[in-house]
Amino acid sequence: MIAGARAKLTDDPRFAFPARVITRPRDGSVEQHIPISAAEFDVAESTGSFALSWRSHGHAYGIPIGALDGLARDQIVVLNISRTMIVRAEALASRVAVLNVTASPDVLAMRLSARGRETRDDVRRRLERDVPIATLNAPVFSISNDGAPAAGIEHLKSVLLGLAENHSAETGQ
């Protein structure tokens, strides 16, 4: 969904969609992450190259420090992060909104299986995993991704545009 929203908002200077670093090769999926080895990730993490980093689903994920440069330009920086990182993200920016993308277990199982990255047991564990959303102050917007991808992308785009309009109204820009 993020790739779809990025494509629709690519000419809108109010938004930045930085890539995250992941310890897995590119696999043809729509996310154009920056692939890195586990050893390279550990070095980057230990030298402070990431604003946020976490491990999940057998991989390490990082948001490069430079990904936050858009904040200084007053852009809305759209990041794909773990729910466990939300409070830490709130410490990095004065304004954070959580866009909680959801899908029913059946739809999620089908999509995870179709990706072909996880085993059947991996998919089962992901479906059983329950990580609640915890925030300090960030509003949470829920976006259903049960239907056609285009509908979810439009909903995400609509929420992002609403956030941009609210930000512009509050800052007088």
Side-chain angles (χ1 to χ4, degrees), residues 28-126:
S29 70
V30 293
E31 181 179 7
Q32 295 301 309
H33 67 277
I34 301 164
I36 191 171
S37 73
E40 292 169 320
F41 188 95
D42 290 344
V43 169
E45 188 176 45
S46 69
T47 59
S49 297
F50 298 126
L52 298 169
S53 61
W54 65 98
R55 282 151 181 79
S56 185
H57 314 301
H59 297 286
Y61 299 78
I63 303 297
I65 291 281
L68 303 182
D69 289 351
L71 297 175
R73 294 187 296 276
D74 213 26
Q75 289 178 301
I76 292 175
V77 178
V78 181
L79 301 173
N80 183 357
I81 65 171
S82 167
R83 291 175 180 205
T84 63
M85 292 290 106
I86 294 170
V87 171
R88 288 185 51 204
E90 286 179 291
L92 297 173
S94 60
R95 298 170 44 124
V96 172
V98 176
L99 307 176
N100 180 38
V101 177
T102 63
S104 68
D106 290 342
V107 169
L108 188 55
M110 179 187 67
R111 290 180 179 162
L112 290 171
S113 295
R115 286 193 318 195
R117 286 197 300 235
E118 292 97 349
T119 66
R120 184 181 298 242
D121 284 341
D122 292 338
V123 170
R124 180 187 48 77
R125 279 192 293 277
R126 282 190 72 165

Side-chain angles (χ1 to χ4, degrees), residues 140-159:
V140 178
F141 299 86
S142 289
I143 300 169
S144 174
N145 192 18
D146 272 341
I153 291 167
E154 282 302 316
H155 189 181
L156 176 58
K157 176 185 156 195
S158 174
V159 171

